[in-house]
Amino acid sequence: MKLLEGKVALVTGANRGIGRAIALGMAREGAHVAFTDLAFDDNTKSLESELASLGVKGKGYASNAASFTETEEVVKQITDDFETVDILVNNAGITKDTLLMRMTEDQWDAVINVNLKSVFNFTKAVQPIMLKKKAGSIINISSVVGVAGNAGQANYAASKAGIIGFTKSVAKEVGSRNIRCNALAPGFIITEMTDKLPEEVKENWIKNIPLRRGGTPEDVANVCVFLGSELSSYVSGQVISICGAMQT
Ligand code: NAI
């Protein structure tokens, strides 16, 4: 029997990168996957067919995770199509890096809304479903930067630190209903988000990673599979780093 056989996972921001790897990793372990992203495009279609080829139900939805009302609507559509949600992965995220002295209000608001408010939006919309079935696993993608801070990323670090406080609070609120809530703190993971960094920044990151490589989206997906499965039934309210020992 596969680790997530018959469970329904909902992954936000899954058209590419880490979210896509999480969707596929969960499907390989038997989960049906509903996923969202800003637009329904070729990436959405190709992920839907990859999920189908793994023998599970997979469907993509266009929805802005930063919007409270769009999130309510899409979660309703997903529960109509999939009947339930067992695992929620709050993955959608953006960066708008710049030093605080140059940071505009728009850059601050955009990052807080997409990275942090989205976690509130989806958790709130999915919570009644999990409360009713007295089961569920919520996985929030934070970052090592949310733990340690980073120059040039005050907005991003604040959003990711906010996710950690939210995760710990939700774990305490809903633990008695057998709902678990954990945060992941990936380090330097090679995706389109990090690919746009200057070469010397990337080389410097890798030099400082004891495992001497950037992480892959699959490195993050594997931990999500663990947190979505019964193997982690007593793990809740935690921040798990996936960073090759960069941060200890
Ligand atoms: P990415 O930029 O490759 O993918 C992010 C996905 O989220 C894209 O498909 C994008 O369209 C979607 N998205 C953006 N805004 C959205 C919105 N408002 N509503 C719905 N979807 C939206 O990024 P990557 O690297 O895959 O990152 C995924 C998550 O992992 C993010 O939360 C990021 O902050 C986090 N993370 C990434 C790290 C890295 O090194 N790549 C390190 C630590 C955390």
Side-chain angles (χ1 to χ4, degrees):
M1 171 127 163
K2 292 178 173 175
L3 283 173
L4 305 177
E5 195 75 57
K7 289 195 192 273
V8 174
L10 162 50
V11 187
T12 68
N15 271 2
R16 64 173 197 230
I18 294 173
R20 190 180 182 100
I22 294 169
L24 289 168
M26 292 200 162
R28 275 186 211 104
E29 287 300 332
H32 303 296
V33 180
F35 64 97
T36 72
D37 211 296
L38 276 175
F40 191 100
D41 59 18
D42 288 348
N43 286 333
T44 321
K45 283 185 218 147
S46 72
L47 181 54
E48 282 187 339
S49 18
E50 276 193 69
L51 292 167
S53 72
L54 291 167
V56 298
K57 185 169 169 176
K59 193 165 171 4
Y61 302 80
S63 171
N64 176 3
S67 158
F68 186 77
T69 46
E70 279 188 40
T71 301
E72 279 187 320
E73 283 160 18
V74 81
V75 169
K76 165 93 182 53
Q77 258 178 286
I78 289 167
T79 41
D80 285 349
D81 295 343
F82 285 79
E83 284 172 28
T84 192
V85 176
D86 299 291
I87 304 162
L88 167 65
V89 186
N90 283 308
N91 165 79
I94 56 167
T95 51
K96 292 209 182 284
D97 297 351
T98 187
L99 293 174
L100 182 59
M101 61 193 283
R102 290 201 201 105
M103 192 176 289
T104 63
E105 186 183 3
D106 282 351
Q107 287 170 325
W108 172 268
D109 287 345
V111 169
I112 297 295
N113 287 334
V114 176
N115 295 9
L116 180 58
K117 191 179 175 207
S118 65
V119 177
F120 163 76
N121 292 343
F122 270 91
T123 308
K124 193 159 165 66
V126 164
Q127 188 191 28
I129 306 162
M130 292 183 169
L131 285 175
K132 211 161 138 199
K133 58 194 301 190
K134 291 201 170 65
S137 175
I138 301 163
I139 304 163
N140 298 324
I141 310 296
S142 175
S143 165
V144 289
V145 162
V147 179
N150 195 24
Q153 289 199 304
N155 49 0
Y156 184 78
S159 72
K160 295 300 184 179
I163 288 179
I164 293 174
F166 180 84
T167 300
K168 292 183 178 186
S169 306
V170 170
K172 289 182 179 183
E173 262 184 51
V174 296
S176 64
R177 304 293 188 93
N178 191 35
I179 301 168
R180 298 182 293 108
C181 185
N182 290 287
L184 296 185
F188 179 71
I189 310 295
I190 301 158
T191 66
E192 282 184 42
M193 184 180 269
T194 43
D195 212 34
K196 60 188 179 201
L197 293 168
E199 271 318 307
E200 71 266 22
V201 173
K202 288 194 264 184
E203 278 163 25
N204 209 32
W205 273 88
I206 291 173
K207 246 191 265 162
N208 290 314
I209 298 171
L211 284 181
R212 289 292 182 272
R213 65 171 178 91
T216 64
E218 290 69 31
D219 288 324
V220 181
N222 289 338
V223 183
C224 283
V225 168
F226 166 71
L227 286 176
S229 80
E230 291 311 307
L231 287 180
S232 60
S233 56
Y234 204 51
V235 181
S236 191
Q238 303 306 306
V239 183
I240 301 177
S241 293
I242 307 165
C243 63
M246 183 173 72
Q247 198 175 76
T248 57

